[in-house]
């Protein structure tokens, strides 16, 4: 019996060695590629390069000697290439839009949560300010205390003035 046959089933096997390094694929990699492609396909640079490419293609296949032309007048091969490019570009753009929509949805949810928390905080602070106003209505203010002290001082002086006039 070999060692492999004697291996216990309750223990994991040793990793096999391969020529190709083992990597777990990044599920976001293709999405990032699609977004980058969609970003590039939507630029003036892409339109300029594509226009120059098509102009060069047409010029070559019209002006070049007949033996050098690889796509004669109806330009079927050019049409096929442009259709192929469009068939790959459209799904990449849609994938990028879907990813952007998902990000926008998450951002909107976070904004709603933040607005809800801010609203709750404002309501709490409003209640606190209202309770402080009610409490301040019952608290003696500095001006009130000064007035009371002045009236007490005035009352204390009056009996003292009355006793000074009285005979001993």
């Amino acid at each position: 019996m070999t060692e492999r046959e004697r291996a216990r089933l309750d223990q994991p096997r040793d990793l096999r060695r391969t020529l190709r390094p083992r990597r777990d694929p990044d599920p976001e990699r293709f999405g990032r590629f699609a977004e980058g492609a969609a970003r590039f396909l939507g630029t003036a640079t892409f339109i300029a390069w594509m226009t120059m490419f098509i102009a060069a293609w047409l010029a070559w296949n019209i002006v070049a000697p007949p033996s050098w032309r690889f796509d004669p007048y109806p330009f079927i091969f050019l049409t096929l290439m442009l259709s192929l490019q469009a068939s790959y570009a459209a799904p990449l753009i849609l994938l990028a839009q879907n990813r952007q929509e998902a990000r926008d949805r998450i951002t909107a949810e976070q904004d709603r949560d933040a607005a809800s928390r801010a609203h709750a905080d404002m309501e709490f602070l409003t209640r606190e300010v209202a309770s402080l106003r009610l409490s301040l209505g019952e608290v003696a203010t500095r001006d009130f205390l000064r007035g009371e002290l002045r009236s007490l001082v005035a009352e204390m002086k009056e009996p003292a003035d009355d006793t000074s006039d009285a005979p001993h």
Side-chain angles (χ1 to χ4, degrees), residues 28 31-32 35 94-103:
E28 294 293 313
R32 287 191 302 266
E35 288 175 345
L94 288 174
L95 177 62
Q97 286 175 342
N98 289 342
R99 288 171 52 90
Q100 184 62 44
E101 179 187 355
R103 279 194 298 271

Side-chain angles (χ1 to χ4, degrees), residues 2-69:
T2 65
E3 184 179 327
R4 188 172 199 164
E5 292 171 330
R6 282 183 271 144
R8 295 181 51 177
L9 296 177
D10 62 338
Q11 295 177 354
R13 290 185 190 173
D14 291 336
L15 290 176
R16 294 184 202 174
R17 300 285 180 199
T18 61
L19 295 176
R20 187 173 55 106
R22 182 179 170 142
R23 280 194 313 171
D24 292 331
D26 182 11
E28 294 293 313
R29 181 178 292 160
F30 188 74
R32 287 191 302 266
F33 168 75
E35 288 175 345
R39 250 184 243 112
F40 175 69
L41 291 172
T43 62
T45 304
F46 173 76
I47 293 172
W49 280 107
M50 191 60 124
T51 302
M52 288 189 306
F53 174 76
I54 292 172
W57 185 289
L58 295 175
W60 180 267
N61 286 295
I62 292 172
V63 177
S67 63
W68 290 8
R69 294 179 191 168

Side-chain angles (χ1 to χ4, degrees), residues 147-157:
E148 290 294 313
L149 289 173
R150 281 187 190 124
S151 65
L152 284 174
V153 167
E155 284 179 18
M156 290 172 67
K157 283 185 179 181

